[in-house]
């Protein structure tokens, strides 16, 4: 199913408003000097979560970008993707009721 989703999304991939912001933060997150500084990492993580909620009307694209990051990044950076998913889901659950929760 993920291969089919990748094919569909690559054929219909449109530029959405938060794409550049998320890609920039993903790139900064993967830099070596960023990965060792806990304060810098948590700031980048909070920024990514805020972007996810800023563009929550395009939640499918946000989820696709995070999934793509996890698939394409180096092995040592995959854990960051899981931290991103965890943070988005936790904030989503705390802010929204179960009926309106888009990310969990």
């Amino acid at each position: 199913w993920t291969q089919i989703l990748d094919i569909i999304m690559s054929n219909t991939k449109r530029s959405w408003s938060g794409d550049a912001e998320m890609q920039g933060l993903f790139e900064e997150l993967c830099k070596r000097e960023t990965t060792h500084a806990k304060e810098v990492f948590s700031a980048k993580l909070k920024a990514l979560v805020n972007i996810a909620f800023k563009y929550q009307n395009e939640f499918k694209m946000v989820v696709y970008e995070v999934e793509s990051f996890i698939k394409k990044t180096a092995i040592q950076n995959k854990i960051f993707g899981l931290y991103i998913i965890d943070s988005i889901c936790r904030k989503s659950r705390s802010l929204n009721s179960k009926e309106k929760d888009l990310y969990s």
Side-chain angles (χ1 to χ4, degrees), residues 7 10-12 15 20 24-25 27 29-30 32 38 50 53 56 60-63 65 69-70 78 80 83-84 94 102:
I7 293 169
S10 66
N11 290 338
T12 61
S15 179
L25 284 171
E27 289 172 10
L29 191 64
C30 291
R32 284 313 223 177
K38 185 177 179 180
N50 289 337
F53 281 91
Q56 94 181 35
K60 290 180 183 181
M61 295 303 292
V62 172
V63 170
E65 292 294 336
F69 170 75
I70 293 172
K78 290 189 185 286
F80 300 141
Y83 286 140
I84 294 166
S94 70
L102 297 175

Side-chain angles (χ1 to χ4, degrees), residues 10 12 19 29 40 51-52 57 61 65 84 96 100-101 103:
S10 66
T12 61
D19 186 38
L29 191 64
V40 174
I51 290 171
N57 59 336
M61 295 303 292
E65 292 294 336
I84 294 166
N96 301 316
K100 295 181 180 181
D101 192 6
Y103 289 111

Side-chain angles (χ1 to χ4, degrees), residues 2-93:
T2 57
Q3 292 173 345
I4 294 171
L5 179 63
D6 286 341
I7 293 169
I8 292 170
M9 291 304 287
S10 66
N11 290 338
T12 61
K13 176 119 177 165
R14 60 184 173 86
S15 179
W16 59 286
S17 40
D19 186 38
E21 288 179 77
M22 285 194 83
Q23 292 303 320
L25 284 171
F26 284 144
E27 289 172 10
E28 289 179 26
L29 191 64
C30 291
K31 291 180 182 174
R32 284 313 223 177
E33 62 272 5
T34 303
T35 59
H36 297 292
K38 185 177 179 180
E39 299 82 21
V40 174
F41 172 72
S42 76
K44 302 287 184 217
L45 185 63
K46 286 179 185 177
L48 279 164
V49 171
N50 289 337
I51 290 171
F53 281 91
K54 180 179 176 182
Y55 297 105
Q56 94 181 35
N57 59 336
E58 299 188 51
F59 69 93
K60 290 180 183 181
M61 295 303 292
V62 172
V63 170
Y64 179 75
E65 292 294 336
V66 174
E67 288 177 347
S68 296
F69 170 75
I70 293 172
K71 286 180 192 174
K72 294 176 183 177
T73 192
I75 292 172
Q76 66 268 19
N77 295 330
K78 290 189 185 286
I79 191 73
F80 300 141
L82 298 176
Y83 286 140
I84 294 166
I85 292 171
D86 180 59
S87 296
I88 291 172
C89 289
R90 284 177 189 259
K91 185 172 181 179
S92 182
R93 275 191 234 132

